[in-house]
């Protein structure tokens, strides 16, 4: 494998891991109604839960696509 391919795999893997973390945090907020961040916010709890409920599946879908790209790169070697 050349260096560019290794860098691409590392970058896509980091993006996939970040997507899983952010998706999990949004899922936690949507299900429990508790905020992950302790900083004061102007958003109401209902708005936070609705936005988190939308963001969680989007983050998981992006993670799945990124993982598929990593798999494609790895199988094409």
């Amino acid at each position: 494998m050349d260096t560019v391919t290794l860098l691409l795999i590392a970058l896509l893997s980091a993006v996939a891991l970040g997507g899983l973390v952010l998706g999990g945090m949004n899922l936690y907020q949507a299900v429990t109604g508790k905020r992950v961040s302790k900083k004061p916010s102007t958003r109401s709890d209902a708005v936070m839960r609705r936005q988190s409920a939308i963001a969680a599946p989007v983050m998981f879908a992006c993670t799945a696509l990124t993982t598929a790209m990593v798999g494609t790169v790895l199988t094409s070697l």
Side-chain angles (χ1 to χ4, degrees):
M1 279 193 271
D2 60 344
T3 307
V4 175
T5 305
L6 289 174
L7 288 174
L8 179 65
I9 291 170
L11 178 64
L12 289 174
S13 298
V15 169
L17 180 62
L20 281 177
V21 170
L22 291 174
M25 290 170 56
N26 280 307
L27 185 63
Y28 172 80
Q29 285 186 159
V31 171
T32 64
K34 297 178 183 176
R35 296 177 187 271
V36 174
S37 173
K38 300 297 181 193
K39 293 190 298 187
S41 176
T42 57
R43 293 187 306 166
S44 69
D45 286 341
V47 170
M48 181 266 307
R49 287 186 83 174
R50 185 174 60 247
Q51 288 175 343
S52 293
I54 294 169
V58 169
M59 292 305 300
F60 288 135
C62 289
T63 300
L65 289 173
T66 305
T67 305
M69 284 192 286
V70 170
T72 302
V73 168
L74 288 175
T75 57
S76 68
L77 298 177

